[in-house]
């Protein structure tokens, strides 16, 4: 009975379908029962094998759910390109002829560039999870969609790893195809942003055409180079061949670093177990694997994998992306139907006009719903096996991330993650998406790594191999001040203070540094140090050793080591000895200082007399006696020998402050006079650089020194005032003959110059702090290691010993060629005089108030005894007489009255 009912239902459905076709023939054609999707891969590759299984699994899962396509079937047609671009193109044409709505692939970026033009014309979306070339721009190829993270992010991850470990240079080994070549170009840009660079690019034939001889030739070159950090960007067959050859050359031993792109992680995931020779050849390498978030769906699919693949190959993340890509197409087609769209194709009139040709181009038709289907794909929002699947406005998958894998003896171990959100971390990226991005270096972390050779200590990243070329170290061929650096006449030997420092530092390096010195200069005059440094930046030399000042312009093009001697610009001028004379005692103070000091002696004496003369008999007497008292009291305070006692509180206060001022003045005078009489004094009209700037005198400088540029550009001194001088003898001659008023040069040269020329002296202070160091190319790791060695020389005292050997001189040590002692002027003491002056004014003000109050009390008695017609002069005489009068003390007056008077005064 049930069988009969089933047959009846089928007959009814068939009848309805036939009736629908007859009544609506066009609609039936637009709603096909099968949705055709093509896939172009080389199914003999790891990713091709994994993708084939994953895509068929997705096809079965979609077709088992009628709600996805409304009862229609999804059919994924597979085309094996077998590594051939030609077969890939043929496969694409075949799909275009059979009403295919979308194509998954191609596998390589080379064909993606070609087929994307075809897809653009026929409006058939191309979706690829393996052709991840950064050069496949959606602006140029709008119908091409990358459904896995673009290689740009993989290169950013590698660049951040290089920066994290502190390496400055890497060597790139890559297959010469679009995807790998463009990936290395992107890596170069990303490294440059982090002040790193690719020092050499080794190209290999496209995978899988590379031969052992090709690899051997490039790796032999790399062995001769300094960098030991190698980035390998290729595909699995070429990549494994590179590691095999590297192992045979000893390049998988201690000191090397290998970072492979995602191809190596696919080998580790899909080929298990590895052959022993393969596992041994890749041990210690780092690689990346596209990160997919953990989920139940993912775990369920992994558990099904062995059944789906029959154990033929292991699952890798690209299998998950393949599965999700098929689902993206299915969902986009479903949405197309829901939007009222149809699957229809129309002829291209441009192709119809070519009917006279043997090619059946008219079979190629334009997918009418292609633009809408593409829009639906780009707007996909779903959760797949790889996690949330969405595209940003640049059509990149959101939150690209990678696992960082370290191959070890037992297989591999994960040492961290990289994500575009948070950079390097040791926690899964999805746990950080809810937090604010923090890409600072202090927030970047990875677990410990086992490097090639089993080392756990981070490799230096560069070495000087025994068969590598020697460093070309340029040294200035000086003709003056040869104690610093010089070339021995008739030989290639160089010597001097700077050379000895370099040789001592080289001995402390933890590795051998082959080098050879190359003199620079014509031997007739000192070379230009700016030109010398520029040649290092241009790659002519590998470093410079000598008396090279560290200045701003030079640090922009080269790196300097830690300074090994301080330097700075100073002014040297002729000086004359100042002999003693009978008036030497007056030299400590300037005339203005003498005048103000004498004036204050008189002022303080007068103020104390005013405060004391009414109550103190020692300050009274005839006018002549009082003037003498003021003078003797004032000047005797200089020696603290005044015999007059002060009685009033205000007088004592003023005297105490004045005695403090006198103490300071006495001490300063004594010290200055002692220096004048006991130390040789030198005099010169040049007091320092300020004197030269304000004058129009000519100034000498050493040929090749940075002093010329500093004087003109920083201090604004015209070039017409500057005179080139080539040697210490030229210095002395120009100064003695007054051809220049002074010479400006660096302190080490000047110290050597003055060691046996005591008729000249440094005037003023150093006005430009500098130092000397060794120069190396930008980002050279040698500069860092040499700096460490120089610091060690400084700490163990060796640097001072080298200095004493070459630069210590004693000819003028007994004669101190110091600056003339500056006279003490008012500027140094005006604060003391101001305090004393304020004290005197305040004391007189308080005294006046007290006198006025006492006079008011005395005034009524005077008014009663005097006529109201008295003149103003009479009142003034009365007031002055009161102020000048002595306070009378009667015999019957009590101690209380005396104390009252004292307190009033």
């Amino acid at each position: 009975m049930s069988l009969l009912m089933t047959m009846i239902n089928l007959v009814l459905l068939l009848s309805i379908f036939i009736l629908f076709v007859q009544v609506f023939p066009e609609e039936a054609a637009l709603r096909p029962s099968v949705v055709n999707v093509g896939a172009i891969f080389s199914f003999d590759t790891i990713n091709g094998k994994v993708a084939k299984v994953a895509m068929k699994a997705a096809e079965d899962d979609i077709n088992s759910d009628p709600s996805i396509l409304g009862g229609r079937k999804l059919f994924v047609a597979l085309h094996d390109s077998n590594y051939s671009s030609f077969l890939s193109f043929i496969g694409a044409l075949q799909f275009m002829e059979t009403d295919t709505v979308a194509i998954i692939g191609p596998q390589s970026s080379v064909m993606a560039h070609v087929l994307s033009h075809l897809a653009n014309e026929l409006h058939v979306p191309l979706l690829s999870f393996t052709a991840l070339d950064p050069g496949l721009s959606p602006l140029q190829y709008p119908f091409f969609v990358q459904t896995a993270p673009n290689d740009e992010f993989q290169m950013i991850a590698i660049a951040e790893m290089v920066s994290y470990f502190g390496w400055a240079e890497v060597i790139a080994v890559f297959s010469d195809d679009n995807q790998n070549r463009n990936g290395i170009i992107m890596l170069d840009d990303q490294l440059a942003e982090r002040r790193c660079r690719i020092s050499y690019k080794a190209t290999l034939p496209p995978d899988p055409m590379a031969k052992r001889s090709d690899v051997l030739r490039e790796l032999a070159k790399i062995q001769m180079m300094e960098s030991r950090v190698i980035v390998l960007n290729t595909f699995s067959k070429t990549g494994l061949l590179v590691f095999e050859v590297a192992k045979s050359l000893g390049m998988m031993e201690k000191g090397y670093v290998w970072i492979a792109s995602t191809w190596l992680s696919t080998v580790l995931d899909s080929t298990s177990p590895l052959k022993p020779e393969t596992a041994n050849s890749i041990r210690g390498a780092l690689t990346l694997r596209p990160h997919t978030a953990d989920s139940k769906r993912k775990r369920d699919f992994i558990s099904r994998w062995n059944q789906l693949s029959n154990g033929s190959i292991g699952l890798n993340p690209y299998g998950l992306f393949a599965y999700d890509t098929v689902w993206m197409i299915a969902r986009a087609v479903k949405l197309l139907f829901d939007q009222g769209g149809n699957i229809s194709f129309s002829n291209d009139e441009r192709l119809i006009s070519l009917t006279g040709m043997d090619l059946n181009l008219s079979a190629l038709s334009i997918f009418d719903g292609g633009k809408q289907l593409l829009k639906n794909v780009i707007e996909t929002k779903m959760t797949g096996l790889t996690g949330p699947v969405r595209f940003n406005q640049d059509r990149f998958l959101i939150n690209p991330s990678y696992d960082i894998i370290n191959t070890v003896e037992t297989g591999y171990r994960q040492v961290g993650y990289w994500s575009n959100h948070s950079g390097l971390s040791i926690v899964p990226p999805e746990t950080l998406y809810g937090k604010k991005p923090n890409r600072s270096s202090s927030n970047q972390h990875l677990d410990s790594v086992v490097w090639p050779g089993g080392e756990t200590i981070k490799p230096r990243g560069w070495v000087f191999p025994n068969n590598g070329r020697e460093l070309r170290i340029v040294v200035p061929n000086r003709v003056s001040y040869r104690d610093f650096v010089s070339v021995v006449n008739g030989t290639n030997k160089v010597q001097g203070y700077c050379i000895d420092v370099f040789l001592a530092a080289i001995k402390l390096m933890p590795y051998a540094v082959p080098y050879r010195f190359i003199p620079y200069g014509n031997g007739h005059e000192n070379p230009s140090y700016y030109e010398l440094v520029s040649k290092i930046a241009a790659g002519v030399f590998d470093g410079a050793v000598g008396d090279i000042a560290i200045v701003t312009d030079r640090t922009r093009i080269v790196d300097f080591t830690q300074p090994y001697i301080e330097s700075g610009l100073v002014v040297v001028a002729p000086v004359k000895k100042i002999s003693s004379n009978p008036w030497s005692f007056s030299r400590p103070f300037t005339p203005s200082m003498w005048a103000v000091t004498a004036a204050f002696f008189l002022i303080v004496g007068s103020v104390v007399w005013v405060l004391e003369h009414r109550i103190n008999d020692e300050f009274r007497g005839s006018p002549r006696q009082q003037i003498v008292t003021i003078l003797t009291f004032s000047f005797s305070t200089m020696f603290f020998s005044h015999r007059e006692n002060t009685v009033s509180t205000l007088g004592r206060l003023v005297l105490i402050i004045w005695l403090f001022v006198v103490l300071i003045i006495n001490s300063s005078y004594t010290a200055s006079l002692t220096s004048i009489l006991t130390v040789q004094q030198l005099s010169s009209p040049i007091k320092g650089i300020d004197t030269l700037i304000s004058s129009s005198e000519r100034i000498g400088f050493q040929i090749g020194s940075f002093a010329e540029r500093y004087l003109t550009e920083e201090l604004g001194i015209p070039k017409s005032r500057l005179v080139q001088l080539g040697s210490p003898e030229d210095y002395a001659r120009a100064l003695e003959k007054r051809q220049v008023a002074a010479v400006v040069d660096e302190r080490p040269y000047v110290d050597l110059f003055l060691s046996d020329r005591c008729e000249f002296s440094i005037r003023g202070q150093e006005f430009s702090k500098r130092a000397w160091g060794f120069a190396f190319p930008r980002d050279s790791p040698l500069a860092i290691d040499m700096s460490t060695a120089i610091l060690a020389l400084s700490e163990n005292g060796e640097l001072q010993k080298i200095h004493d050997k070459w630069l210590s001189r004693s000819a003028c040590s007994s004669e101190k060629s110091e600056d003339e002692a500056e006279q003490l002027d008012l500027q140094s003491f005006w604060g003391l005089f101001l305090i004393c002056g304020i004290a005197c004014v305040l004391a007189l003000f308080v005294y006046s108030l007290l006198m006025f109050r006492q006079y008011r009390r005395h005034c009524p008695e005077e008014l009663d005894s005097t006529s109201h017609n008295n003149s103003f002069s009479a009142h003034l005489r009365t007031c002055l007489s009161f102020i000048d009068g002595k306070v009378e003390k009667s015999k019957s007056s009590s101690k209380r009255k005396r104390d009252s008077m004292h307190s009033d005064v």
Side-chain angles (χ1 to χ4, degrees):
M1 185 65 180
S2 59
L3 179 61
L4 179 62
M5 291 299 297
T6 301
M7 293 180 64
I8 292 173
N9 289 332
L10 290 173
V11 171
L12 288 174
L13 289 172
L14 181 61
S15 301
I16 293 172
F17 177 74
I18 293 172
L19 179 63
F20 179 81
V21 171
Q22 291 175 347
V23 177
F24 305 102
E26 294 181 359
E27 285 76 1
L30 300 177
R31 300 276 182 164
S33 59
V34 177
V35 177
N36 291 315
V37 175
I40 303 174
F41 282 87
S42 295
F43 291 115
D44 190 37
T45 63
I46 292 176
N47 284 340
K49 293 176 182 178
V50 172
K52 180 178 180 179
V53 176
M55 288 188 294
K56 282 301 179 182
E59 175 188 332
D60 293 341
D61 292 346
I62 291 168
N63 290 334
S64 65
D65 187 352
S67 64
I68 302 298
L69 295 176
R72 301 172 188 80
K73 296 296 182 181
L74 178 74
F75 177 66
V76 180
L78 305 178
H79 177 82
D80 190 354
S81 62
N82 195 25
Y83 299 101
S84 170
S85 298
F86 175 72
L87 292 180
S88 295
F89 187 74
I90 295 299
L93 291 176
Q94 290 175 346
F95 287 141
M96 300 294 185
E97 292 176 353
T98 56
D99 296 344
T100 299
V101 299
I103 296 177
I104 302 174
Q107 186 170 347
S108 70
S109 294
V110 175
M111 282 312 301
H113 284 271
V114 176
L115 298 185
S116 291
H117 291 289
L118 186 62
N120 291 347
E121 296 296 328
L122 301 181
H123 296 177
V124 177
L126 286 176
L127 290 79
S128 180
F129 48 86
T130 55
L132 305 175
D133 179 5
L136 288 165
S137 166
L139 296 176
Q140 185 178 5
Y141 307 110
F143 277 83
F144 181 79
V145 181
Q146 294 173 332
T147 58
N150 186 284
D151 272 356
E152 174 183 348
F153 301 105
Q154 181 179 195
M155 296 303 118
I156 295 175
I158 293 175
E160 292 198 3
M161 290 167 61
V162 171
S163 177
Y164 170 79
F165 287 112
W167 299 313
E169 293 185 357
V170 304
I171 292 174
V173 180
F174 60 98
S175 295
D176 195 14
D177 57 59
N178 287 31
Q179 181 164 341
N180 292 300
R181 186 190 315 111
N182 290 340
I184 293 302
I185 292 173
M186 181 62 65
L187 176 62
D188 204 3
D189 293 340
Q190 294 298 324
L191 288 172
E193 291 181 9
R194 294 158 178 81
R195 290 196 64 183
C196 307
R197 70 186 186 98
I198 297 177
S199 60
Y200 178 72
K201 296 177 182 179
T203 57
L204 300 173
D207 187 82
M209 294 185 292
K211 300 177 181 178
R212 186 180 182 87
S213 59
D214 300 323
V215 176
L216 186 61
R217 181 175 59 255
E218 290 298 331
L219 292 188
K221 294 179 185 177
I222 293 172
Q223 270 192 311
M224 302 287 289
M225 299 175 185
E226 287 81 3
S227 179
R228 287 295 181 262
V229 181
I230 303 170
V231 175
L232 181 56
N233 191 35
T234 181
F235 298 115
S236 58
K237 287 195 174 182
T238 300
L240 292 177
L241 178 60
V242 170
F243 275 118
E244 178 186 337
V245 175
K247 179 67 176 178
S248 66
L249 293 176
M251 298 176 67
M252 296 302 297
E253 302 300 327
K254 177 181 176 181
Y256 282 90
V257 176
W258 288 84
I259 302 176
S261 52
T262 53
W263 67 267
L264 182 55
S265 67
T266 64
V267 172
L268 296 172
D269 288 332
S270 299
T271 308
S272 182
L274 290 173
K275 296 178 182 179
E277 56 271 21
T278 301
N280 192 38
S281 67
I282 64 175
R283 191 175 301 160
L286 290 173
T287 185
L288 300 175
R289 175 172 60 194
H291 176 74
T292 55
D294 187 33
S295 66
K296 184 177 184 304
R297 286 191 63 197
K298 176 182 173 182
R299 291 193 297 270
D300 292 342
F301 187 78
I302 292 173
S303 65
R304 293 170 51 198
W305 182 258
N306 282 336
Q307 180 182 354
L308 294 171
S309 64
N310 295 321
S312 60
I313 193 167
L315 176 63
N316 65 50
Y318 292 103
L320 304 179
F321 285 114
Y323 184 91
D324 284 351
T325 300
V326 177
W327 271 92
M328 289 171 63
I329 296 173
R331 288 176 178 273
V333 172
K334 179 181 183 299
L335 183 58
L336 177 67
F337 290 149
D338 294 343
Q339 293 167 338
N342 296 303
I343 297 178
S344 62
F345 295 84
S346 57
N347 293 327
D348 190 337
E349 295 181 357
R350 295 171 298 177
L351 297 178
I352 295 175
S353 64
L354 301 176
T355 53
M357 302 178 65
D358 293 336
L359 295 174
N360 187 25
L361 298 179
S362 60
L364 301 176
S365 54
I366 298 174
F367 179 24
D368 298 327
K371 290 185 177 180
Q372 186 60 45
L373 182 64
L374 174 67
K375 183 174 182 293
N376 294 345
V377 168
I378 295 172
E379 294 177 353
T380 295
K381 293 182 179 179
M382 73 176 199
T383 300
L385 298 182
T386 59
V389 178
R390 289 195 297 276
F391 293 94
N392 61 20
Q393 60 183 6
D394 297 322
R395 286 175 50 173
F396 292 138
L397 285 176
I398 62 169
N399 298 327
S401 55
Y402 294 89
D403 301 333
I404 300 176
I405 306 298
N406 179 207
T407 58
V408 294
E409 186 174 2
T410 56
Y412 66 85
R413 55 191 286 268
Q414 189 163 326
V415 296
Y417 305 87
W418 177 90
S419 76
N420 197 42
H421 176 80
S422 55
L424 301 173
S425 67
I426 55 176
V427 297
E430 53 269 18
T431 63
L432 301 174
Y433 290 148
K435 300 179 181 179
K436 185 178 180 180
N438 186 353
R439 303 293 289 275
S440 62
S441 58
S442 60
N443 202 49
Q444 306 295 290
H445 302 287
L446 290 176
D447 285 334
S448 60
V449 177
V450 178
W451 305 99
E455 287 292 311
T456 55
I457 300 174
K458 183 199 75 172
R460 182 182 302 276
W462 71 283
V463 294
F464 287 98
N466 292 331
N467 54 353
R469 65 174 178 82
E470 295 177 327
L471 283 180
R472 298 161 298 178
I473 303 297
V474 61
V475 295
N477 186 9
R478 295 192 59 88
V479 297
S480 63
Y481 298 111
R482 295 170 61 86
D483 295 277
F484 293 104
V485 58
S486 63
V487 178
V488 179
N489 294 333
T491 68
N492 291 325
K493 181 181 178 182
V494 293
Q495 63 182 12
Y497 167 71
C498 303
I499 301 300
D500 280 5
V501 172
F502 176 78
L503 296 177
I506 284 291
K507 293 178 181 178
L508 297 181
M509 299 285 278
Y511 46 84
V513 181
Y515 63 89
R516 61 188 175 94
F517 291 122
I518 302 175
Y520 180 79
N522 57 23
H524 302 295
E525 63 179 10
N526 294 332
S528 168
Y529 282 62
Y530 281 99
E531 293 179 4
L532 185 149
V533 171
S534 297
K535 289 187 179 295
I536 298 174
V540 177
F541 302 113
D542 300 314
V545 172
D547 47 340
I548 304 170
I550 304 173
V551 296
T552 305
D553 288 347
R554 298 172 186 175
T555 58
R556 294 193 180 104
I557 58 175
V558 297
D559 282 348
F560 282 93
T561 63
Q562 172 78 15
Y564 59 88
I565 186 172
E566 295 297 323
S567 177
L569 294 179
V570 293
V571 176
V572 179
V575 293
K576 62 179 180 179
K577 298 179 181 180
I578 301 176
S579 58
S580 299
N581 60 70
W583 299 100
S584 295
F585 71 89
S586 64
R587 282 168 49 195
F589 288 165
T590 61
S592 60
M593 180 64 183
W594 279 116
V596 172
T597 302
F600 261 85
F601 273 111
L602 296 177
I603 290 171
V604 171
S606 301
V607 170
V608 172
W609 174 82
V610 170
L611 299 176
E612 292 287 328
H613 83 284
R614 294 191 73 235
I615 60 175
N616 192 339
D617 292 337
E618 295 181 356
F619 286 86
R620 298 193 64 81
S622 64
R624 179 174 176 276
Q625 289 177 331
Q626 292 187 51
I627 292 174
V628 172
T629 299
I630 291 173
L631 294 176
T632 57
F633 175 81
S634 298
F635 290 102
S636 62
T637 56
M638 180 184 297
F639 312 103
F640 306 97
S641 61
H642 52 285
R643 62 181 181 83
E644 293 84 2
N645 294 319
T646 53
V647 177
S648 67
T649 302
L650 293 175
R652 290 174 177 175
L653 178 63
V654 170
L655 184 61
I656 289 173
I657 295 175
W658 173 244
L659 291 177
F660 173 73
V661 174
V662 170
L663 175 64
I664 300 300
I665 293 175
N666 274 346
S667 301
S668 302
Y669 176 86
T670 303
S672 180
L673 183 61
T674 301
S675 174
I676 290 173
L677 297 179
T678 59
V679 178
Q680 173 183 295
Q681 297 298 308
L682 304 176
S683 175
S684 171
I686 305 298
K687 303 299 182 183
I689 188 61
D690 292 335
T691 307
L692 294 177
I693 294 174
S694 60
S695 71
S696 59
E697 300 282 351
R698 293 167 69 82
I699 304 169
F701 69 92
Q702 183 182 174
I703 296 175
S705 171
F706 77 95
E708 178 185 14
R709 183 173 296 187
Y710 185 88
L711 292 172
T712 55
E713 296 181 1
E714 299 295 331
L715 301 183
I717 297 175
K719 279 191 175 182
S720 58
R721 292 180 54 195
L722 303 182
V723 178
Q724 289 187 346
L725 302 172
S727 66
E729 292 74 20
D730 292 342
Y731 286 16
R733 190 180 306 111
L735 290 170
E736 289 170 352
K737 295 182 177 181
R738 304 299 180 185
Q739 296 172 350
V740 296
V743 172
V744 174
D745 205 351
E746 296 175 70
R747 185 65 184 252
Y749 301 130
V750 171
D751 287 341
L752 207 58
F753 172 72
L754 296 179
S755 63
D756 55 359
R757 293 177 176 86
C758 302
E759 65 273 23
F760 308 107
S761 174
I762 295 175
R763 312 303 298 164
Q765 304 297 319
E766 289 185 13
F767 57 90
S768 173
K769 293 292 184 180
R770 292 291 188 273
W772 291 353
F774 304 138
F776 294 95
R778 292 279 285 177
D779 302 317
S780 170
L782 189 60
I784 299 174
D785 293 335
M786 284 294 291
S787 295
T788 304
I790 291 172
L791 285 175
L793 291 175
S794 178
E795 292 172 357
N796 63 23
E798 187 66 24
L799 199 60
Q800 185 61 44
K801 292 179 182 177
I802 298 173
H803 181 277
D804 295 342
K805 171 186 174 183
W806 287 97
L807 306 181
S808 291
R809 298 289 187 273
S810 57
C812 289
S813 61
S814 60
E815 298 184 66
K816 299 184 67 175
S817 299
E818 298 180 352
D819 289 342
E820 177 185 357
E822 293 289 341
Q823 286 185 305
L824 301 175
D825 57 12
L826 188 60
Q827 186 70 20
S828 304
F829 297 94
W830 71 266
L832 289 173
F833 288 124
L834 178 64
I835 294 172
C836 186
I838 291 174
C840 291
V841 171
L842 290 177
L844 289 175
F845 179 73
V846 173
Y847 181 80
S848 299
L849 291 178
L850 294 175
M851 289 299 98
F852 179 74
R853 190 180 69 175
Q854 291 181 19
Y855 180 71
R856 287 288 301 271
R857 282 190 296 206
H858 179 71
C859 185
E861 300 176 4
E862 296 295 329
L863 291 176
D864 291 343
S865 60
T866 309
S867 170
H868 291 287
N869 295 326
N870 285 341
S871 64
F872 173 77
S873 60
H875 284 290
L876 182 60
R877 285 195 300 271
T878 302
C879 180
L880 293 176
S881 176
F882 173 78
I883 294 173
D884 185 56
K886 185 178 185 304
V887 177
E888 296 293 340
K889 299 180 183 179
S890 61
K891 295 182 180 179
S892 60
S893 64
S894 63
K895 184 178 183 298
R896 178 183 56 80
K897 187 175 180 180
R898 187 185 307 116
D899 292 340
S900 176
M901 175 62 71
H902 279 255
S903 63
D904 287 345
V905 178

